[in-house]
Amino acid sequence: RQTREGMNIRSNDDETLFHGLFPARQLFHPKLEWPLWNYNWDGRRLPPTGDADADKERDRAIRKNGVTRHIILVRHGQYDETHKEDEKRILTPLGREQADITGRRIAEMVKGFNEEFGPCNVKVVRVSDMARAKETADLICKHLPDVERAAPDPLLNEGRPCHHIPGGKASASVISRTDENHPRIEKAYRKFFYRADRPKEEEKEEGEEKEVLASDVEADTTAKDSNKEGATVQEEPQPQDGDSSTPTTNEEIQPPAELKPHPKHEFEIIVGHANVIRYFTCRALQIPPEAWLRLCTFNCSLTYLTIRPTGSVSCRMLGDIGHLGLSKSTFSGHHGFNW
């Protein structure tokens, strides 16, 4: 059974309450009833051709040759909440320290290690248009000097994305704020969450041809070398006990001088706010978004989602603060975990 996805916020004539909590029109309706997965959640899935085998082969090619999108959501650092004006709600000294540590953590995550796990192709850093988020992004980007910075986006600003369950009866002001904020935050979700463009057939074929040609050249060169008159096979000398040429453990794990990003993986970093990050996570995983307040994202925590070329989504990190340590872990004004 399919329905129109989203909230019916424009139809405010009917204020019938959903279980006495809030207007039923403000309940989020999935396109397919929970917990079914909507495979065309971003409108980018190819329609069926009518040939099941052809569709299966097409999906296999997309999985093999498509690009996986990696989205790292970062909550801003701790900030001064004593002011109402946004420009005065800047990071505390601890918040700036949190942001700096987080920048180092992300730089470490994306720098790569060896040919198999090369540097991550970070395409852009995005940020909301609120002071605390922009200041956090500035400090993080000091550790990512070569990454593009997008202009601050007001769509990512903090707000009430939707109602939360469990929760009490919503007041008139809460109902009004939900009507005001939900369309913007939902628009932000749809703007930044989607599967990558499908691989072009001509690019795939060209790449396969180059790979075949390269292997042919390698094989031909090897054959010519082995057929040279008087050619002998040199065995690799075996290191003796105590031989200084034997690599140490530290030498073995050193990365090559130059590593290239994997062409089938692209990363984006979005610096934003707790409510928005939690809403994005629920929407991306196709969990009822009214569950957003059940999640907790500490200051400068990392929430990391992947979107495969076929549209499947998974969460690799949820509110990760391991890089901060206990003494620097805060949720707004709360320190540590005893709150």
Side-chain angles (χ1 to χ4, degrees), residues 206-223:
E206 181 183 355
E208 290 175 349
E209 181 181 355
K210 288 180 179 178
E211 186 177 348
V212 171
L213 289 175
S215 61
D216 287 346
V217 170
E218 183 180 354
D220 185 56
T221 302
T222 304

Side-chain angles (χ1 to χ4, degrees), residues 175-187:
I175 292 171
S176 177
R177 287 204 308 273
T178 303
D179 278 341
E180 177 185 355
N181 291 319
H182 172 77
R184 169 180 60 81
I185 298 173
E186 174 65 15
K187 184 177 181 180

Side-chain angles (χ1 to χ4, degrees), residues 27-228:
L27 180 70
F28 189 92
H29 294 280
K31 190 169 185 178
L32 300 177
E33 61 184 341
W34 314 113
L36 295 177
W37 180 262
N38 177 13
Y39 289 91
N40 194 30
W41 57 272
D42 57 353
R44 288 182 160 226
R45 190 188 191 201
L46 289 173
T49 62
D51 184 334
D53 291 336
D55 291 346
K56 185 176 181 180
E57 181 61 24
R58 180 187 66 188
D59 290 344
R60 186 199 68 80
I62 291 174
R63 279 195 300 271
K64 179 181 178 182
N65 301 296
V67 172
T68 295
R69 298 188 67 234
H70 302 249
I71 301 178
I72 300 176
L73 303 169
V74 186
R75 189 191 174 196
H76 57 77
Q78 186 190 57
Y79 69 103
D80 184 349
E81 299 183 53
T82 61
H83 300 280
K84 291 185 178 181
E85 301 87 353
D86 178 65
E87 63 273 13
K88 296 181 180 179
R89 294 160 75 89
I90 59 176
L91 300 185
T92 65
L94 176 57
R96 290 192 288 273
E97 190 174 0
Q98 290 169 335
D100 181 70
I101 294 171
T102 302
R104 283 189 271 127
R105 169 59 173 157
I106 294 175
E108 181 184 33
M109 287 172 59
V110 303
K111 73 178 180 181
F113 180 70
N114 54 29
E115 290 185 356
E116 182 179 2
F117 177 36
C120 301
N121 181 17
V122 183
K123 305 289 288 185
V124 66
V125 175
R126 305 187 188 279
V127 63
S128 87
D129 197 31
M130 303 189 83
R132 56 191 183 270
K134 289 186 287 187
E135 189 177 0
T136 301
D138 288 342
L139 292 165
I140 288 174
C141 285
K142 288 182 179 180
H143 301 278
L144 304 168
D146 299 324
V147 178
E148 177 189 350
R149 289 280 304 273
D153 193 336
L155 290 179
L156 293 167
N157 287 1
E158 184 64 303
R160 183 181 180 87
C162 64
H163 294 290
H164 54 80
I165 300 175
K169 183 178 179 180
S171 66
S173 62
V174 168
I175 292 171
S176 177
R177 287 204 308 273
T178 303
D179 278 341
E180 177 185 355
N181 291 319
H182 172 77
R184 169 180 60 81
I185 298 173
E186 174 65 15
K187 184 177 181 180
Y189 166 74
R190 293 174 184 254
K191 180 178 180 179
F192 299 120
F193 283 78
Y194 54 87
R195 72 194 79 187
D197 293 337
R198 294 187 299 276
K200 296 179 180 179
E201 288 299 315
E202 57 268 21
E203 290 179 353
K204 181 188 71 172
E205 292 170 0
E206 181 183 355
E208 290 175 349
E209 181 181 355
K210 288 180 179 178
E211 186 177 348
V212 171
L213 289 175
S215 61
D216 287 346
V217 170
E218 183 180 354
D220 185 56
T221 302
T222 304
K224 287 180 180 178
D225 289 344
S226 64
N227 289 332
K228 288 181 180 178

